[in-house]
Amino acid sequence: MSVFSHVDFDHHEQVVYGHDKASGLKAIIAIHDTTLGPALGGCRMWRYATDDEALRDVLRLSRGMTYKSALARLPLGGGKAVIIGDPHSGKSEALFQAMGDFVDSLGGRYITAADSGTGVAEMQMMAERTRHVAGAGQREAFDGGVRNGDPSPSTAYGVFLGLQVAVKHRLGRDDLKGLKVAVQGLGQVGFSLARQLKGAGAELWVTDIVEANVRRAVEQLGATAVGQNDIYGLDVDVFAPCAMGAIINPHTLEALRAPVIAGAANNQLADAQLAEELQRKGCLYAPDYAINAGGIIDVCYERTGGSAAELKAHVEGIAATLEEIFRRSQVEGATTTAIADRMAQERLQGGR
Ligand code: NAD
């Protein structure tokens, strides 16, 4: 398949294939746009069925990073990496060191970070070979503690603030007392979000494919457990997707009753057109890459060495961005996703 005529090519600046015979590494790095700074984006490891599938994923994800960072007013461009391999059985130190060499060969135009299938341990292995890695070390957290490079607390905090803005805009409510929220996925972000919501007085309905995660939320947060497929049709105020992508699709759309969708998952809409259907249904959708930007903001501050207080203030800016998206969507009649894309393009052009 030609890269230049690929439907997702979208004027990428650079797409590089990497192979290391000794470790078996097969990877692609895509740099979409470096107008605002070096391209930063996670390194995903996945069992792609074909190379084309890996190419499509990396192109779409790297473009998404350009938009996410621009909208979050970060001095970063968009890029992404994928390793073609099984994240459960295909990992080795040699593989990630080879990936570190591959990242290093781009001389800092691309900075890598954790993503699905990789975490702090893999970033540390890459960091043995390149300094262009984020999320490999310990740092001060804005909640007062010290933590490793995991950005999920910042992501969860940003989602919590964004959810409040959405609730105010759509339901006219200033506080979350008694607000009914359905949380799908109780992993790093979902559980932290659920804890903050509980602290603000919300009532929780939760689901996860891992039983222990559900039990923890029931026991620690007094949440009500529901089945995986029952989470969509609940009579709640907010649906907070914090598990996987493409969960808003024609099938779930019919079941969904919540007037607000605000959660951390990436690529929540299976198809961009669904934003219009949500709008027609009267459902306010917080665009995923706007509300979940806390993670990339966190990673950026790790690189630039900003203080925990500066990081917190920047994450809090997500609330103002969402307010603007919702207001413009209402005034202009366009979907929230169309407005978010427009604002990202404006910020990108402002930086040219
Ligand atoms: P995670 O892997 O820690 O948590 C995901 C949770 O979802 C897990 O507990 C998993 O068991 C559960 N899950 C998976 N499939 C499910 C299903 N069908 N139904 C219910 N639960 C299911 O991941 P995370 O770091 O908490 O991230 C959650 C989402 O937010 C992902 O989509 C991720 O891409 C996105 N995101 C995360 C960050 C971050 O900083 N971690 C930043 C931006 C976006």
Side-chain angles (χ1 to χ4, degrees), residues 27 47 49 61 67 70 99-100 104 112 132 148 173 205 222 247 264 281-282 288 296 313 316 319 329-330 338 341:
R47 281 177 53 188
L61 290 165
Y67 277 58
M99 188 65 196
D104 202 59
T112 200
H132 306 300
N148 62 24
R173 296 177 53 153
W205 280 260
I247 36 77
K281 249 177 106 115
D288 45 21
I296 187 77
E316 286 169 352
S329 165
Q330 193 170 25
D341 284 356

Side-chain angles (χ1 to χ4, degrees), residues 115-135:
D115 200 81
S116 307
T118 63
V120 175
E122 288 75 19
M123 294 310 111
Q124 286 169 346
M125 288 185 252
M126 288 199 228
E128 291 171 25
R129 300 298 183 92
T130 181
R131 60 191 174 86
H132 306 300
V133 180

Side-chain angles (χ1 to χ4, degrees), residues 68 150-152 155 184-190 207-210 213 228 242-245 264-266 292 295:
K68 185 186 281 204
D150 171 19
S152 60
T155 306
Q184 179 185 47
L186 297 159
Q188 304 180 91
V189 180
T207 193
D208 199 294
I209 51 172
V210 177
N213 290 354
Q228 275 170 55
C242 298
M244 65 293 178
N266 277 313
N292 73 16

Side-chain angles (χ1 to χ4, degrees), residues 138-192:
Q138 291 218 321
R139 54 191 299 245
E140 184 196 359
F142 58 64
D143 55 11
V146 174
R147 56 187 173 81
N148 62 24
D150 171 19
S152 60
S154 296
T155 306
Y157 182 49
V159 173
F160 175 64
L161 298 175
L163 185 150
Q164 282 176 284
V165 171
V167 164
K168 181 162 172 52
H169 186 87
R170 176 65 180 81
L171 305 174
R173 296 177 53 153
D174 281 316
D175 69 45
L176 304 185
K177 280 200 190 69
L179 189 87
K180 296 186 168 98
V181 185
V183 182
Q184 179 185 47
L186 297 159
Q188 304 180 91
V189 180
F191 186 78
S192 171

